Each structure stands twice: as C-alpha cells, then as structure tokens.
C-alpha cells in the first residue's frame, strides 16, 4: 500500500517549517509619530481644604448671635487671615515649575509646546 499524498502546506505545517518563514507583522501607525502642539487641559490635583476650623467657629458665632457681624468680628478677622495665608502659600507653591510628583501641569506643557512647536516639514 502506498503512503497517502498530502498537499505541500500540510507537510510544512506538520514539520514546523511554517514557523521559520513567518515574519512579524508590519506596524503602520494611524497618526504621525510626532508630539502634538498641545495637550488636553486636565484639572490640577485639588489641594486639601484649608481654614475649615476657622470657618466653623465663625458660623457657630453667627448662629449664636443671629448672624450679627459686629458680635463676631474677631472670628471673621481670624477666618480672613487664614484665607489670606492659605492663598499666599498656594501662590508660592505654584511658582515652582514642577509639582510635588515631578510632573508639569498641562498649562505649563502647552506653554512650552507653543515656544517650541514641532517641525512637521523640512525646508
């Protein structure tokens, strides 16, 4: 009895030769591989709430005195001083170019990309 005759692709598949001829697929990007000239605006990380205790003391004083500002002048002044101090600290922190994690904010990245736009064509 003669051995059965199989198509050529079956013998290649059984012997493992098909693996040797297989090449990795060619990757064609859908967009050009350059940076964009802007990034999406994202929210900055929200900081901790400040002056909560001063605000609650001020509101408790208002409630006790029927919302009279003159009776709660000291508490109001303490609250405004705390707010001014927190605002000053926030501005000082924003002057640093890097955030606490070492990343640039999206507005600063956009400003840098406007200064140094991507070259898309050669002269």
């Amino acid at each position: 009895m003669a051995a059965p005759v199989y198509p050529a692709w079956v013998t290649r598949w059984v012997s493992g030769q098909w693996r040797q001829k297989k090449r990795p697929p060619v990757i064609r990007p859908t967009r050009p591989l350059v940076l964009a000239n802007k990034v999406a605006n994202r929210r900055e990380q929200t900081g901790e709430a400040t002056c909560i205790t001063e605000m609650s003391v001020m509101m408790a004083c208002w409630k006790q005195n029927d919302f009279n500002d003159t009776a709660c002048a000291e508490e109001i002044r303490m609250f405004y001083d705390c707010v001014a101090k927190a605002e000053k600290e926030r501005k000082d922190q924003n002057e640093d170019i890097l955030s606490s994690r070492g990343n640039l904010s999206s507005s600063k990245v956009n400003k840098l990309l406007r200064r140094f736009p991507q070259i898309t064509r050669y002269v």
Side-chain angles (χ1 to χ4, degrees):
M1 235 181 158
V5 178
Y6 295 108
W9 68 269
V10 174
T11 56
R12 280 196 313 269
W13 183 71
V14 170
S15 66
Q17 292 176 1
W18 64 275
R19 283 188 214 115
Q20 295 168 356
K21 293 183 180 181
K22 201 171 196 181
R23 291 191 176 101
V26 176
I27 299 173
R28 291 187 181 95
T30 56
R31 296 185 213 155
L33 298 176
V34 294
L35 289 176
N37 285 328
K38 65 179 182 175
V39 296
N41 287 329
R42 59 181 173 177
R43 277 192 208 166
E44 304 299 322
Q45 281 191 331
T46 56
E48 296 177 10
T50 56
C51 306
I52 297 295
T53 56
E54 289 84 356
M55 183 172 34
S56 62
V57 168
M58 178 183 69
M59 290 185 174
C61 180
W62 275 343
K63 190 173 182 180
Q64 288 174 353
N65 296 311
D66 294 326
F67 299 97
N68 186 2
D69 284 345
T70 57
C72 301
E74 181 65 24
E75 286 82 1
I76 293 171
R77 185 189 59 75
M78 286 174 42
F79 175 68
Y80 280 129
D81 289 346
C82 180
V83 169
K85 181 181 167 188
E87 187 69 23
K88 183 181 176 202
E89 288 176 3
R90 187 182 65 81
K91 282 185 181 179
D92 290 343
Q93 184 181 15
N94 282 345
E95 287 177 359
D96 298 334
I97 186 118
L98 294 178
S99 67
S100 61
R101 293 186 336 189
N103 296 333
L104 292 171
S105 66
S106 59
S107 60
K108 291 178 183 173
V109 170
N110 282 332
K111 193 180 293 183
L112 284 171
L113 287 173
R114 265 185 264 131
R115 281 182 61 192
F116 306 104
Q118 299 297 311
I119 299 173
T120 56
R121 57 183 157 68
Y122 295 99
V123 177

